[in-house]
Amino acid sequence: MVYTAAILLSLVGYFIIGNLAGRRVKNLDDYLVAGRNAPTLMILGTLVASYLSTSAFLGETGFAYQGYPFVMLIFAAISTSGCLLGALVFGRYLRRSEALTVPEFFGKRFASKRVQMIAGLTTVFGLGAYLLGVMQGAGIMFEELTGLPYWAGLVLVWLTYTGFILYSGSQGVVLTDTVMFVIFSIAAVGGSLYIISDLGGWSGVIEGLLAQSDKPGIALWHGVIEGEGATFSSPGEALIWGLTLGLVWATVLAASPWQSSRYLMARDEHVVLRAALIAAICVTFLEVVLYLGGTVVNLSDPGIEPSHQVMVY
């Protein structure tokens, strides 16, 4: 009941915050790009929250728990460079264009309605796939914590966010994203430090991971490469996987509409660059905390199935 009440109260809270923000919407600029007046904290919050969604807390942390924390850290080290790359070579010019949407920017840039239409379709389909993944994670979390049906969580979360986003637009998005950023940063750091402390502190955790036999190699840079449950068959394969996924996600962070559109809301180009720099640092730090926190749970229970439930556990 405690988890159920907390989740329901948080949904109500986000709905109220979003609708209060909606009262500040006076024109199309306010609705689509937050009046182009969002400060560094708001751009930072929305950048980090839109990237570190349920995929980081469930899927990525679950993969670290399976035996690949350092492979995931290779991925994180490369992928977060996309924050800086995106701001320097795309985001500041996007902000300078004063377009209302990313597709409009491409339409202006190439003086082509056809290019704008293609960019719009790409945005719709790309964001649709991303939102499906995020909503699936929200449904899983809702089901695990409350015991209520998976579909009920999907419906509740979808109705809440759709309700305030349609009303408040980008004003509500940047505000609620920033609130989420603060809350899950505290949760990730506090939760992971608690787990490590409870399992004997840093020295006890390191010794325990090196000594455990359920997932041999989990404390090595390449992770588990032996046994029935191994995802990779060699260190080279693990390295190639981490580098490839890192480069793909660096590109996503640099140019994907759901990330780069945040720069349109920034007060000026200095905000774009500052927010991107701090976002890269925050994302890297939070991913380190999450991956290591999820990994050390092996010392308590190495058999959690499915593995994406590790942080819920």
Side-chain angles (χ1 to χ4, degrees), residues 6 55 58 115 149 166 246 262 267 294 299 306:
S55 62
L58 298 178
V115 170
L166 285 177
R262 268 64 181 173
R267 182 175 293 163
L299 300 180

Side-chain angles (χ1 to χ4, degrees), residues 1-147:
M1 285 299 295
V2 174
Y3 292 129
T4 304
I7 289 174
L8 292 177
L9 285 174
S10 70
L11 291 177
V12 171
Y14 287 127
F15 187 83
I16 292 173
I17 292 171
N19 280 274
L20 288 175
R23 297 181 181 180
R24 300 166 56 186
V25 175
K26 305 298 182 185
N27 52 48
L28 199 57
D29 265 22
D30 289 339
Y31 188 81
L32 292 178
V33 290
R36 304 189 196 279
N37 197 38
T40 301
L41 177 61
M42 295 294 186
I43 300 301
L44 166 66
T46 193
L47 283 173
V48 177
S50 62
Y51 177 61
L52 287 184
S53 57
T54 51
S55 62
F57 282 82
L58 298 178
E60 293 175 14
T61 303
F63 193 62
Y65 167 80
Q66 288 179 31
Y68 305 98
F70 295 105
V71 176
M72 289 305 299
L73 290 178
I74 292 172
F75 149 74
I78 298 174
S79 64
T80 50
S81 66
C83 293
L84 301 176
L85 182 67
L88 286 170
V89 304
F90 185 46
R92 59 190 178 127
Y93 299 110
L94 186 62
R95 171 64 181 79
R96 195 178 297 174
S97 73
E98 296 192 354
L100 290 174
T101 64
V102 174
E104 182 185 341
F105 165 79
F106 282 107
K108 287 182 175 180
R109 173 65 180 80
F110 296 99
S112 170
K113 287 292 183 181
R114 182 174 297 178
V115 170
Q116 183 171 335
M117 182 180 68
I118 293 172
L121 291 173
T122 303
T123 300
V124 170
F125 286 113
L127 285 177
Y130 165 75
L131 288 173
L132 282 175
V134 172
M135 292 300 295
Q136 182 182 22
I140 291 171
M141 186 77 76
F142 187 90
E143 182 180 31
E144 293 297 329
L145 291 176
T146 68

Side-chain angles (χ1 to χ4, degrees), residues 245-260:
L245 195 67
L247 289 171
V248 169
W249 275 96
T251 305
V252 170
L253 277 171
S256 68
W258 102 75
Q259 284 289 114
S260 59

